[in-house]
Amino acid sequence: MTMKITTWNINSVRLRIGLVERFLKEESPDILCLQEIKCLNDQFPRKAFEKAGYPHIAVHGQKGYHGVAIASRTPFEEERADQFCSKEDCRHIAIRLKGNVHIHNFYVPAGGDEPDPAVNDKFAHKLDFMTEMAERFADTVDKKSILVGDLNVAPREHDVWSHKQLLKVVSHTPVEVEHMARIIERTGWVDVARELIPEPEKLYTWWSYRAKDWKASNRGRRLDHIWVTPALKKAALAGGRDAYTIHEDARSWEKPSDHAPVSLTLAL
């Protein structure tokens, strides 16, 4: 049995529902995890997902900002939404599938522009959020868990277009990379992309809207991730490199998100 899971920061699901419908038709993942849906739960375009064959939906949304959702072809047995840092931001949704497989979908705070928590509350929030992530997942090492989402950190040298030029730019600073490393170490998370496609090959999932021709400049960052616990490592890597895909073409669709969808097929 295989399961194809996709993560995508859609940057407004209502604005880009046509792109979502196109992706579901062309790529047919079993589960789609979205971030930055930017709508309340009752505003989520459920009918479009149901029509596309994804009637099982978990949503944790808020008005105009943030928000995450999971759409599945098949039923799931449980859902939950956690809050972090004593804030009401909607940045996490989780489901439990048959076979006790847990999927966690995250949208980590971007962190603003200044990488100094003393002067930038947004950056301080990002670091606090990641600290809580590390604490909460400390007891999941033996569970079958998948963590996906826009984690807003490009951790490795070849996850950005220029390691040297981005060391002081939010998303690639040493302190953010250290915080991400702690999350991984506490649970033994496997960064599937880099297990299947080792460095020095460059991997990007995000390209700024500021570039007139994003493909020509190719100044990307790998901000979108798929991780698994050790219990699912064999399943995640069984399909080899072909099982992992960054759907770069979607970045060129009309009025796209600045993030590309990322998919993994697991052999469960």
Side-chain angles (χ1 to χ4, degrees):
M1 172 186 170
T2 62
M3 180 186 75
K4 183 177 179 179
I5 183 170
T6 298
T7 179
W8 193 4
N9 179 321
I10 193 60
N11 193 12
S12 179
V13 67
R14 291 182 294 173
L15 180 64
R16 297 187 169 84
I17 187 60
L19 303 188
V20 174
E21 291 171 323
R22 175 178 173 179
F23 181 83
L24 293 176
K25 183 178 180 180
E26 292 183 3
E27 297 296 336
S28 194
D30 297 292
I31 294 174
L32 176 65
C33 298
L34 297 173
Q35 305 87 41
E36 271 202 287
I37 61 171
K38 295 184 177 180
C39 66
L40 294 168
N41 289 14
D42 60 4
Q43 297 172 323
F44 189 82
R46 289 177 177 269
K47 289 184 179 179
F49 282 87
E50 292 168 358
K51 186 176 180 180
Y54 295 78
H56 309 285
I57 300 168
V59 185
H60 189 201
Q62 68 186 85
K63 186 177 180 180
Y65 296 93
H66 318 318
V68 286
I70 301 175
S72 174
R73 286 185 176 279
T74 56
F76 43 82
E77 299 180 347
E78 182 182 4
E79 68 177 87
R80 88 166 197 257
D82 292 346
Q83 303 286 12
F84 288 75
C85 303
S86 301
K87 292 182 179 288
E88 295 184 1
D89 293 350
C90 298
R91 296 181 176 275
H92 169 268
I93 190 80
I95 61 172
R96 179 169 57 84
L97 303 174
K98 185 178 180 180
N100 212 30
V101 175
H102 300 257
I103 297 176
H104 294 270
N105 180 19
F106 273 97
Y107 175 49
V108 171
D113 296 324
E114 179 61 46
D116 183 350
V119 299
N120 179 3
D121 290 342
K122 291 181 178 179
F123 194 71
H125 177 211
K126 181 176 190 174
L127 300 184
D128 290 345
F129 191 101
M130 295 176 75
T131 296
E132 282 197 24
M133 284 179 69
E135 293 169 352
R136 294 195 192 193
F137 283 107
D139 64 348
T140 63
V141 64
D142 295 324
K143 294 181 179 179
K144 294 179 180 178
S145 296
I146 304 168
L147 188 156
V148 307
D150 176 4
L151 305 187
N152 265 313
V153 179
R156 296 174 181 256
E157 178 177 348
H158 295 90
D159 291 339
V160 293
W161 65 273
S162 173
H163 171 63
K164 184 177 180 180
Q165 293 186 62
L166 293 179
L167 279 173
K168 295 183 179 180
V169 174
V170 173
S171 79
H172 191 61
T173 65
V175 66
E176 293 168 275
V177 172
E178 289 169 9
H179 274 67
M180 178 170 277
R182 289 193 197 104
I183 300 171
I184 290 173
E185 289 165 5
R186 289 291 293 269
T187 301
W189 289 109
V190 177
D191 180 357
V192 175
R194 282 308 182 188
E195 286 286 331
L196 293 174
I197 307 173
E199 293 185 287
E201 184 168 337
K202 295 277 192 180
L203 287 179
Y204 310 143
T205 66
W206 173 91
W207 296 262
S208 174
Y209 284 131
R210 295 176 184 175
K212 289 184 178 180
D213 187 338
W214 71 273
K215 206 164 193 177
S217 62
N218 201 27
R219 295 189 171 193
R221 306 177 201 176
R222 184 171 71 101
L223 303 180
D224 305 272
H225 296 261
I226 299 177
W227 300 349
V228 299
T229 47
L232 287 177
K233 181 176 181 179
K234 183 177 179 181
L237 304 184
R241 183 187 178 115
D242 291 343
Y244 174 86
T245 305
I246 300 171
H247 304 274
E248 291 188 16
D249 287 352
R251 181 63 179 81
S252 292
W253 292 353
E254 187 176 356
K255 296 182 180 178
S257 170
D258 46 0
H259 294 256
V262 181
S263 297
L264 175 70
T265 300
L266 298 94
L268 295 175

